[in-house]
Amino acid sequence: MAFSSQTPTIVVLKEGTDASQGKGQILNNINACLAIQDTLKPTLGPFGSDILIVSSNGKTTISNDGATILKLLDIVHPAAKMLVDISRAQDAEVGDGTTSVTILAGELLKEAKTFIEDGISSHFITRGLRKANELAVAKIKELAVEVKKDDPAEFRQLLERCATTAMSSKLISKNSEFFTQMVVNAVLSLDQNDLDENLIGIKKVPGGAMEDSIFVDGVAFEKTFSYAGFEQQPKRFTDPKIVSLNVELELKAERDNAEVRVEQVQDYQDVVDAEWKIIFNKLEAIAATGANIVLSKLPIGDLATQFFADRNIFCAGRVASEDMDRVLKAVGGRILSTCSGITSDDLGTCANFEEVQIGSQRYNFFKGCPEAKTCTLVLRGGAEQVIAEVERSLHDAIMIVKRAVSHNSVVAGGGAIEMELSKYLRDYARTVAGKQQLIINGYAKALEVIPRQLCENAGLDGIELLNKLRSAHAKGEIWYGIDFQRENVGNNMASFIWEPALVKINALESATEAANLLLSVDETIKNEDSQEGGRGRGAY
């Protein structure tokens, strides 16, 4: 009896599973990431263009913020989603550089693609990229200029310059002088120990010009839902006492809460009287505290509103949780869940309170707060898309200033630090033998994508300016970068084009990590849903 020596085929994966592997798979992943890079390249720098994104439900967004664009793009390629993740991570960690980190990661992969096609092992490439990244990060730390915090005026100038640089590529670049002051004031108003940017409230009011935006050193929130009697209440106080409640001051029909069985009409009246007595006891207890302003997270009904109006007390019910939290941070006191036993320690205060008309809406302003660890930016603009982009731009600038406060070392922007790192890595590569020299050289070449793309987006001659930059850096001009004012190269440190060193370090580390992760993947297994009567692809 003859036995077949051929091994039988064993099917492990479900029918319809798509498995592709090897060098072709790595190249496929790199090409997907390069397509993402091409989308973002035109948005880089002061002369970068904006992208109009229309979602499936017809909502339009205009932005040149890398993280925002990638979040709104419907990316299906699994490898390309890696770039979305590093962009979001950069946004969460330092707030700016979201486009740079994606472009750098794409360029590192483009350099690696050549080596992969030449047959160099992907593990060998990742080792070289890691080594180059370590050298680059160490060099940034060595070159970074630390600005002393001892002189408040000098330190404020550092923060303003970092904010101006962060805004240079945004919609608000033409109004950067106005918004720079607003951003720096906002960050400096926070508790300098934890710098929680969530305590900077941002409110958007359509209409007016961008420079009609208001910085409030305290809390501002939109007028809440109000009942009859609200207009009789005073709308301005000096040194008011403020009570913050989590109590509902509204008459509820008894049928809402319980079923009451009565035998006589008088019994029913007793129930109603008891309910009125309860709410009046609450209101009188509040009035007895001497409070001028009553805020509550829960509704304040028409009876309470009129009661307070008769006693020249201002009230606002249904205050949003985040607004109430910021009020407490600013005015002091504490939030109360009962109206009895309120002491003077439970009340907050501020220098001025007023209700202000802004555009078509009315806002409550609490200014001159003794505990001011919060502030509010009221943004104006002609269209909702414009205000939304102003908000994103200010968020980036706020995050940059926040990082500059906690890490006060800076480097020059405009491609200066990238060109210096490129020159340093090329010099180092000459001291390394073997293929590793090629990888480190490739990393150095990839770094030049930032100044090259800045030139391209500004309509300048990239080849000529890059040659000038290489020449300047070879002569020891470490802070030479693209100077857009003169359309030439120049000392960007002297021109005050500054960025926190942390932004550059984080961008390089994230981009290298993403490139290494993608290069280490050489097989993709994709499970497809069964279709057409339950038979997967390839079934017969």
Side-chain angles (χ1 to χ4, degrees), residues 140-366:
I140 291 176
K141 289 176 179 174
E142 180 192 321
L143 292 173
V145 176
E146 191 163 324
V147 178
K148 299 286 183 288
K149 289 185 175 181
D150 308 338
D151 182 354
E154 186 183 340
F155 186 58
R156 186 182 172 89
Q157 279 188 321
L158 153 74
L159 301 181
E160 288 176 1
R161 283 159 186 164
C162 289
T164 303
T165 305
M167 290 180 202
S168 64
S169 62
K170 307 295 183 186
L171 179 75
I172 57 178
S173 58
K174 298 287 185 293
N175 313 86
S176 62
E177 195 174 327
F178 173 80
F179 283 110
T180 293
Q181 300 296 327
M182 186 180 279
V183 164
V184 174
N185 287 338
V187 175
L188 292 180
S189 71
L190 298 177
D191 184 335
Q192 298 302 292
N193 294 320
D194 63 359
L195 289 171
D196 183 3
E197 72 275 4
N198 294 322
L199 291 176
I200 300 176
I202 296 182
K203 304 295 180 184
K204 296 175 280 191
V205 183
M210 279 195 274
E211 292 204 7
D212 290 339
S213 300
I214 303 167
F215 170 79
V216 182
D217 187 13
V219 184
F221 56 82
E222 192 177 345
K223 170 181 169 291
T224 57
F225 181 85
S226 55
Y227 290 87
F230 178 81
E231 292 304 334
Q232 298 165 32
Q233 293 178 353
K235 302 295 187 288
R236 182 175 287 118
F237 289 103
T238 303
D239 298 324
K241 292 180 180 176
I242 303 164
V243 62
S244 305
L245 303 172
N246 190 21
V247 177
E248 188 171 12
L249 298 175
E250 190 171 25
L251 267 176
K252 300 280 277 182
E254 53 279 352
R255 59 185 160 74
D256 287 353
N257 301 317
E259 183 179 318
V260 181
R261 300 195 177 205
V262 292
E263 294 178 0
Q264 299 177 28
V265 175
Q266 185 57 41
D267 293 343
Y268 177 77
Q269 188 60 45
D270 290 345
V271 171
V272 174
D273 289 347
E275 194 174 23
W276 278 68
K277 187 177 179 185
I278 289 168
I279 192 165
F280 271 114
N281 285 345
K282 287 181 182 178
L283 297 176
E284 282 160 5
I286 293 168
T289 63
N292 309 104
I293 298 173
V294 180
L295 304 176
S296 179
K297 287 186 178 182
L298 298 175
I300 295 179
D302 46 6
L303 172 69
T305 303
Q306 190 63 57
F307 179 92
F308 290 136
D310 294 342
R311 288 157 182 77
N312 286 328
I313 298 173
F314 174 90
C315 70
R318 296 194 177 116
V319 178
S321 258
E322 59 183 46
D323 290 329
M324 185 68 95
D325 292 343
R326 290 194 306 109
V327 167
L328 288 170
K329 288 270 185 184
V331 304
R334 57 179 69 92
I335 195 155
L336 305 168
S337 54
T338 177
C339 297
S340 57
I342 300 176
T343 65
S344 57
D345 292 339
D346 299 324
L347 305 181
T349 188
C350 63
N352 294 294
F353 165 82
E354 61 179 327
E355 191 170 287
V356 180
Q357 186 80 25
I358 304 177
S360 60
Q361 297 170 17
R362 282 156 72 180
Y363 270 76
N364 299 323
F365 281 15
F366 298 80

Side-chain angles (χ1 to χ4, degrees), residues 315-484:
C315 70
R318 296 194 177 116
V319 178
S321 258
E322 59 183 46
D323 290 329
M324 185 68 95
D325 292 343
R326 290 194 306 109
V327 167
L328 288 170
K329 288 270 185 184
V331 304
R334 57 179 69 92
I335 195 155
L336 305 168
S337 54
T338 177
C339 297
S340 57
I342 300 176
T343 65
S344 57
D345 292 339
D346 299 324
L347 305 181
T349 188
C350 63
N352 294 294
F353 165 82
E354 61 179 327
E355 191 170 287
V356 180
Q357 186 80 25
I358 304 177
S360 60
Q361 297 170 17
R362 282 156 72 180
Y363 270 76
N364 299 323
F365 281 15
F366 298 80
K367 291 182 178 177
C369 305
E371 308 286 330
K373 299 285 188 284
T374 181
C375 64
T376 311
L377 311 181
V378 183
L379 305 182
R380 306 298 309 279
E384 282 185 20
Q385 287 93 337
V386 172
I387 303 177
E389 180 62 3
V390 170
E391 181 185 10
R392 284 189 287 270
S393 305
L394 288 183
H395 171 263
D396 285 4
I398 285 167
M399 291 294 283
I400 285 293
V401 172
K402 176 184 164 183
R403 295 301 168 193
V405 169
S406 47
H407 302 81
N408 57 323
S409 53
V410 296
V411 294
I417 188 68
E418 285 83 3
M419 289 304 293
E420 181 60 23
L421 293 176
S422 179
K423 176 243 175 191
Y424 168 67
L425 289 176
R426 284 182 203 277
D427 291 346
Y428 178 86
R430 293 194 192 99
T431 67
V432 180
K435 296 175 189 172
Q436 205 75 326
Q437 184 186 86
L438 296 173
I439 313 298
I440 294 173
N441 251 328
Y443 197 104
K445 186 181 173 190
L447 287 169
E448 291 184 351
V449 71
I450 299 294
R452 190 188 313 121
Q453 196 60 43
L454 288 172
C455 291
E456 194 173 309
N457 291 349
L460 307 177
D461 187 339
I463 295 171
E464 180 194 348
L465 292 183
L466 273 181
N467 283 332
K468 283 185 179 180
L469 282 178
R470 288 193 194 105
S471 171
H473 283 266
K475 292 172 187 171
E477 297 284 0
I478 61 172
W479 297 128
Y480 260 55
I482 308 297
D483 186 334
F484 295 105

Side-chain angles (χ1 to χ4, degrees), residues 90-163:
Q90 178 82 3
D91 193 37
E93 183 62 26
V94 289
D96 198 20
T98 52
T99 304
S100 303
V101 71
T102 312
I103 291 175
L104 271 173
E107 201 65 18
L108 290 173
L109 290 168
K110 187 188 283 187
E111 292 300 320
K113 183 180 178 184
T114 313
F115 302 135
I116 294 283
E117 288 170 342
D118 290 344
I120 298 176
S121 162
S122 61
H123 298 295
F124 189 86
I125 298 168
T126 57
R127 201 159 63 243
L129 292 180
R130 241 180 230 118
K131 177 65 178 172
N133 178 57
E134 283 173 19
L135 291 166
V137 169
K139 188 67 175 173
I140 291 176
K141 289 176 179 174
E142 180 192 321
L143 292 173
V145 176
E146 191 163 324
V147 178
K148 299 286 183 288
K149 289 185 175 181
D150 308 338
D151 182 354
E154 186 183 340
F155 186 58
R156 186 182 172 89
Q157 279 188 321
L158 153 74
L159 301 181
E160 288 176 1
R161 283 159 186 164
C162 289

